[in-house]
Amino acid sequence: MPDFSTVFERRNTHCTKWDLLEQIYSIPDASDVLPMWIADMDFAIPSTIIDALHKRLEHPVFGYNIVPEETKLALTNWLEKKHQLKIENKWIFFQQGVIPAMASVLDAFTEIGDKILIHSPVYPPFNHVPTRLGRIVETCDLMEINSSFEIDFDDFEQKLSSGVKAFILCSPHNPGGKVWTKEDLTKIAALCERYNVLIISDEIHADIVFKPNKHIPILSVAENVNNIITFFAPTKTFNLAGIQAATIIVPDQQKRKILENQALERGQMELNIFSLTAFQAAYEHGEPWLEELLEVVSSNMDYVVEQLTNKLKGIKVSKPEATYLLWIDYRDTGLSEKEIMDLLLTKGKLALEPGTKYGKTGEGFLRMNVACPRHTLEDGVARFIKALS
């Protein structure tokens, strides 16, 4: 049975989430601070993945490896079953993560000085990666409507028409947990086609969606799939960030050739033996674990929403449609970002993420990761309430 209740000690395991707090938050001692910031879970991965890795370890030779077709087939079967998306094995490229994938695609299909469009607020690398590559980032601010995000399509089209070369879509949206509708995605695809803008769609959170919501891959609604490059990965779904495995889905043959040549020029290798083993096992055998995870995270979401809404004045939080991340609105408290972060860290001993990390439109918000055992979650909520009481 999946284990979602055991609290594992992660300090001193070279863990970004637990072992970098002093550096990230500029505090001298974080030994009593609870981290609920970066998006990895405090849950054990599926035992089927561990079993697959143990089996591979039984063979004592770890020489150069190739990508088995069975590994690609595991992904294609998963996407068809879970998201009704049919892709071909030849469309799949492997990469060490979605961020390296984004950098590769931007480098291959845009030039220094090109304009790249993103929504705001959004996952910080959407801004950082193109900026560091010398591209100019344009933002289309999302609209807040009924505690959810909506796209301002008038602004979106105006930005596309100004000479943008690529649009990076976050679907489902991080940090807002928004699942874009078929109508949203169809309109995005049509507008990007009209203005000859490449769509780069990060769909890493595709599997962590709560009923009755349904993730729709933008590839499944676009008339021209050759204008779209999509990223999928098992790392968020199955808590495998340290395994470093992601995929770039490229339907267009010419674009695939460009990426193949780019990889050759850079001496870029395929994924290692253990990443491929975990990747395949996750998509072949991980579904029962995922189904229980969704129930646990959904329940955790409900608990936090109820507790913070009822016990703290000025705090607004709604259950998202996807991800295991809460986007908490504290604007009615009257506190500045520095003030609330200081209270959380010094009084509550709790590390959350400040909203401005996701762009100026994130001011007045916090991001909280609730993918943890209930004991840890209750501790985190108590610390939040203490900080603001």
Side-chain angles (χ1 to χ4, degrees), residues 60-131:
V61 180
F62 307 127
Y64 292 116
N65 60 285
I66 60 174
V67 177
E69 285 301 299
E70 293 83 1
T71 304
K72 293 184 177 183
L73 186 61
L75 175 62
T76 59
N77 287 343
W78 179 271
L79 292 177
E80 184 170 2
K81 179 179 181 181
K82 302 294 287 186
H83 305 297
Q84 292 72 58
L85 176 66
K86 293 185 178 181
I87 67 169
E88 300 179 29
N89 280 14
K90 65 182 180 182
W91 295 2
I92 301 172
F93 288 83
F94 286 93
Q95 183 56 274
Q96 281 66 42
V98 163
I99 304 312
M102 185 185 298
S104 293
V105 169
L106 286 169
D107 197 30
F109 300 109
T110 66
E111 304 290 338
I112 292 174
D114 280 351
K115 289 197 273 189
I116 310 299
L117 183 61
I118 63 173
H119 283 141
S120 180
V122 78
Y123 181 51
F126 280 43
N127 181 22
H128 299 160
V129 172
T131 298

Side-chain angles (χ1 to χ4, degrees), residues 175-189:
K178 172 74 174 183
V179 176
W180 302 116
T181 65
K182 183 177 180 180
E183 291 73 23
D184 291 330
L185 296 167
T186 301
K187 197 164 185 177
I188 288 170

Side-chain angles (χ1 to χ4, degrees), residues 210 290-300:
F210 308 111
L290 173 60
E291 290 176 352
E292 189 162 337
L293 170 78
L294 290 172
E295 293 181 6
V296 170
V297 172
S298 179
S299 176
N300 281 0

